[in-house]
Every structure is written in C-alpha cells, then in structure tokens.
Amino acid sequence: MGGLLAVVAAACAPADGPPAPPDLLPPAELVPLLADLHIAEARAQHASRSPDTVQALYQRLEAQTFERRRVPAVRFQSSYAYYAARPAELEAIYATLTDTLAMRQVRVQAK
C-alpha cells in the first residue's frame, strides 16, 4: 500500500518531468504489473482491518509481484514517475488498466 501510494504521489511531478529512464517499462509491460499491484492492494485491505497488518501484507505481496514479473521496484518507480509527468500517457495507461482489471474480473466470475 505504501509503495503504490508513494508512486501515485509522483503524479504531482512537474509537467516536464524526468527524462525517460534507460530501462523504461513500456505500457504493454506496465499495465499488467499495475493490475497485479492493484489486486495485491485490494487483497491486503480485504485481509485485515489493522492498518499495520494491511501495510505489511501489501509490502510482501508487492515484493512477490515484482519478483514474479521480474521487474525491480526501482525500475517500476522510475517508469511510473516518467509517465506521471506526462498526464496524457498516464491517462492512456490507466484506461487500458481499467479494461484489464474488468477483463480479469469477468474471467474470475466466469469460473
């Protein structure tokens, strides 16, 4: 939860923002990673009412997600900061993310 919130806070970066990092995640890789992180955050929040427990669980799920996707957290953070400084690109990423999450929900409900 803390990690994702810190990244979202980067959305307040100046419009010219940072230059593209050399290992920038393209949207096609970023969207599934973001979907996994949003689901991890929801799972953590659903698992407990204790903020400390939620945060600890999310941090563990976040680390597992980065490991499973083979994306270092630093690479994700620098990529997100790059897109956050470019609102049109970030909006397109989140539009795709919304569709991705909706499709995943349909698949889960169909089981």
Side-chain angles (χ1 to χ4, degrees):
M1 191 165 69
L4 188 57
L5 292 177
V7 171
V8 171
C12 298
D16 53 343
D23 59 350
L24 179 69
L25 286 167
E29 290 180 46
L30 184 60
V31 168
L33 176 57
L34 281 168
D36 289 350
L37 291 173
H38 281 279
I39 290 168
E41 185 173 21
R43 286 180 58 203
Q45 289 176 349
H46 183 71
S48 176
R49 291 181 184 231
S50 165
D52 291 339
T53 303
V54 169
Q55 183 173 3
L57 177 58
Y58 176 73
Q59 287 174 346
R60 189 176 71 222
L61 293 171
E62 179 184 54
Q64 290 171 352
T65 299
F66 288 136
E67 186 176 320
R68 186 177 66 254
R69 292 274 178 189
R70 294 185 170 96
V71 174
V74 170
R75 182 177 181 205
F76 167 74
Q77 292 163 351
S78 65
S79 295
Y80 195 94
Y82 171 82
Y83 290 117
R86 290 153 182 82
E89 291 181 54
L90 188 61
E91 185 176 336
I93 287 167
Y94 268 86
T96 305
L97 174 61
T98 300
D99 292 342
T100 299
L101 290 170
M103 298 269 297
R104 287 187 184 188
Q105 183 176 14
V106 167
R107 281 194 303 243
V108 167
Q109 290 174 342
K111 288 184 178 181

